[in-house]
Amino acid sequence: MCLVPMMGASNLIERRSSGTLQGLRDPLPWPAGKPFRILSIDGGGIRGILPAAILTKLEEKYLPGKSVGDYFDLITGTSTGGIIALALSLGLTARTILDIYTQHGAEVFPPTDPGFLKIRSGLRFLRNSRYYTYDSDKLLRQLERVFGQTVIGAAQRRLCIPTFDGFTEVNVFKTPHHADYKRDWRELMITAAMATAAAPSYFPVYKDRGRFFADGGVWANNPVMVGLVDALACYQIERRQVHILSIGSGDTEIEISAKQVSLGGFWYWRDIISSAMHLQSQNALGQAGLLIGRDQLIRLNALPMPANPIAMDDFARSRDELPQIAARLVDEQGDLIRDRFLFAPADPYEAKYGPRAALSA
């Protein structure tokens, strides 16, 4: 065990890596031939309207009055996708989540006043070069309405929610679906939600009892491999038993410019983080496809918009444009998703610790 102070915290904080398993995880039984269904949701700020709208359309078309989250054995989500995953794990419908995004998104991501657009955008750029852009308390208030004091151990579905901590170490909040997962069930869902959504430059680092967290999108904006590896490590399942529905929030595909080639420098590469997230997603999807077969993985996402991409904090365009894209995607692949994932509700997992474990004991 490694206990060290973190950024002036009065208490010693244990590194998550100090508990790293040195051998293979003891796999739990899983019925032969039974599909293991994973829902993976990308990060993307207010563009989370896209996955929320896709899931809403699936509910309306195939599951009237039911939550689409109840049809998956494991849900993984990063940043805005993590918020959606946490909410679905409690049985909330995608429509409820989408309404929160569309009704309160402008409070979290207030638009620039058009009358002073040029002046304010210039001032905003200078300010944002040194300070975060948005007030995380506004996001916190919305999330408190959804999650209250609910702990991760109360989730009905297995969860994997990526973030990273103040030691710059990978951190994945997990439900207690395996005996090795002893620590996260006590965490409040609001902690996991704020931690995974603390996007650098947009929101401040999330502080919780001497700990510090930032957005998991830095290393797993598309968390498909996080969910797949967890399933394969925790259960006695064959790779071809795993089926994955992966939903994006609209990637930004940036071509290498002439000035990036000839001059380089930070200024010309300042948007590289968007391309990095796009590349990470491509890699994760490729790895998952190699492990289970690309035919076992359905990917829904908006086509890249190289000329005029929707920014992660552009509420108006996200609200106005993304639901239409969601409707088209469901029209194109909805029946396949229904047959692959929505044929019957998934069984709630057997919790090893926490309030659900106490109820089933």
Side-chain angles (χ1 to χ4, degrees), residues 320-335:
D320 296 342
E321 299 178 31
L322 295 181
Q324 300 174 44
I325 296 173
R328 176 178 55 78
L329 291 170
V330 172
D331 285 343
E332 293 172 352
Q333 300 201 60
D335 288 353

Side-chain angles (χ1 to χ4, degrees), residues 9 16 23 40 96 112 122-123 127 171 184 210 225 250 276 287-288 347 352:
R16 192 175 183 93
S40 175
T96 299
T112 301
L123 292 173
R127 183 187 185 281
N171 191 100
D184 293 335
M225 280 298 293
Q287 290 175 326
D347 296 326
K352 303 300 180 183

Side-chain angles (χ1 to χ4, degrees), residues 157-188:
R157 305 293 150 193
R158 299 167 186 83
L159 288 171
C160 291
I161 309 296
T163 180
F164 76 90
D165 63 29
F167 299 111
T168 320
E169 287 192 348
V170 165
N171 191 100
V172 181
F173 290 102
K174 300 172 184 175
T175 44
H177 52 271
H178 193 280
D180 290 342
Y181 298 162
K182 301 177 181 179
R183 59 192 302 170
D184 293 335
W185 71 264
R186 299 180 178 87
E187 298 280 3
L188 294 176

